[in-house]
Amino acid sequence: MHLLPDPVRRLAAWCVVVLLVAGVGYVGIRLCAEFRTAVTPVLLALLGTALLGPLYRRLVTAGVNRSVAAAVTCVAVVAVVGGAVYIVVAALIDTGGEIIASLKRAAQGIADHFGAAGTSLDDLATNSKDLLAKFGGTAASNVISGVSVVGETIAMAVLALLLVFFFLRDSHRTPDLLKSLAPRGAADTVETMARRAFEAVEGFMRGTTFIALIDAICITVGLLVLRVPGAVGLGALVFVGAYIPYLGAFLSGAVAVLVALADRGFVIALWALGVVLAVQVLEGHVLQPMIQSRTVQMHPAVVMLTITAGASVAGILGMLLAVPLTAAAFGVLHELRMRYASPEPSDP
């Protein structure tokens, strides 16, 4: 027991704790991956509930029956998600030809200036439709050979929608349920942590949606003023990308600048870059502090690592879910720190 110095024993104890936590986390991730058809709808339903919870509460406050209010909110989910997908897809389809034509002209210009290297780019742009057709054919054959994937996706979407209904309708029973499941003496702590985690997710979803809408409107207006082709489609891309913090805004903004460079030249591309950077500065220094001041604030490095980890675990879905889940974890840690942190000694 006393063969090792005290610092070494402390280090060994911390190593054991870290290994145990890492092992439990790994097993949990593997279980979630194995039962993804059940876990994914639950997570998506929680995000949907957090986003549309205020609407449900307003309906209940107005005297609407809880079941009717939950059903109306689910209809709103379908309308909002379906409408957003339709707008994004329609905008990209309507403006996709202009964007591809702009990129092709840019490749032709590079071919004129750089010879063989540019010619390969021009050939790539010219044959883009053939490449997309081949890719589409391969994807179609894969879908045909794996129809179960489509059925699984539809089943998860329907299950998530039904879970949103039940989560909303029975939300007033959640505290009692948590207290009944929690160990004796820890019921209040478990309820508080769950409430704090959900508030963090709720604030993140509402704030991110509002910020994404403002970003998309500002960048779309800027691109329309600069007469960049496909401005509406690029704005829709910005709105969708905003749900992946930092990385999504960077990629969608880079696409907008690239299209401006391809079609309108270097000067307009610089103006487009200025618009994108101005919107990002507005988001980072004004919108984020004002809109999400009551939610869990995470360092950009933590967000990037979280997105990378989510992508490695579950691809695009993991990137979308990683940040709100981390926000919930930060909310729980904040609550634990507030409850169990030792008070600072007062000065005599």
Side-chain angles (χ1 to χ4, degrees), residues 71-134:
V72 171
T73 307
C74 289
V75 173
V77 170
V78 176
V80 170
V81 175
V85 171
Y86 174 78
I87 292 173
V88 171
V89 173
L92 291 178
I93 290 176
D94 292 340
T95 59
E98 298 179 9
I99 295 175
I100 292 176
S102 299
L103 294 177
K104 184 177 179 180
R105 285 193 295 270
Q108 182 63 48
I110 294 175
D112 295 338
H113 288 86
F114 295 98
T119 303
S120 62
L121 292 175
D122 183 44
D123 293 338
L124 179 61
T126 303
N127 298 325
S128 59
K129 291 185 178 180
D130 295 336
L131 293 174
L132 289 175
K134 292 180 180 179

Side-chain angles (χ1 to χ4, degrees), residues 39-54:
V39 174
T40 301
V42 172
L43 296 178
L44 293 177
L46 287 175
L47 295 183
T49 304
L51 182 60
L52 292 174

Side-chain angles (χ1 to χ4, degrees), residues 60-215:
V60 173
T61 304
V64 181
N65 180 270
R66 290 184 179 274
S67 297
V68 176
V72 171
T73 307
C74 289
V75 173
V77 170
V78 176
V80 170
V81 175
V85 171
Y86 174 78
I87 292 173
V88 171
V89 173
L92 291 178
I93 290 176
D94 292 340
T95 59
E98 298 179 9
I99 295 175
I100 292 176
S102 299
L103 294 177
K104 184 177 179 180
R105 285 193 295 270
Q108 182 63 48
I110 294 175
D112 295 338
H113 288 86
F114 295 98
T119 303
S120 62
L121 292 175
D122 183 44
D123 293 338
L124 179 61
T126 303
N127 298 325
S128 59
K129 291 185 178 180
D130 295 336
L131 293 174
L132 289 175
K134 292 180 180 179
F135 176 78
T138 303
S141 63
N142 290 335
V143 169
I144 292 175
S145 62
V147 180
S148 60
V149 176
V150 178
E152 179 180 302
T153 303
I154 296 175
M156 287 192 297
V158 173
L159 179 59
L161 184 62
L162 293 176
L163 288 176
V164 169
F165 172 81
F166 290 117
F167 287 170
L168 289 172
R169 191 193 66 177
D170 301 329
S171 57
H172 63 289
R173 301 178 182 174
T174 303
D176 294 336
L177 176 62
L178 291 175
K179 289 181 180 180
S180 65
L181 296 177
R184 181 176 301 177
D188 293 336
T189 302
V190 171
E191 179 191 353
T192 304
M193 288 191 301
R195 190 184 303 276
R196 185 67 181 85
F198 186 77
E199 288 176 354
V201 175
E202 187 177 44
F204 174 83
M205 290 299 297
R206 286 185 296 169
T208 301
T209 301
F210 191 60
I211 291 172
L213 182 61
I214 295 177
D215 287 354

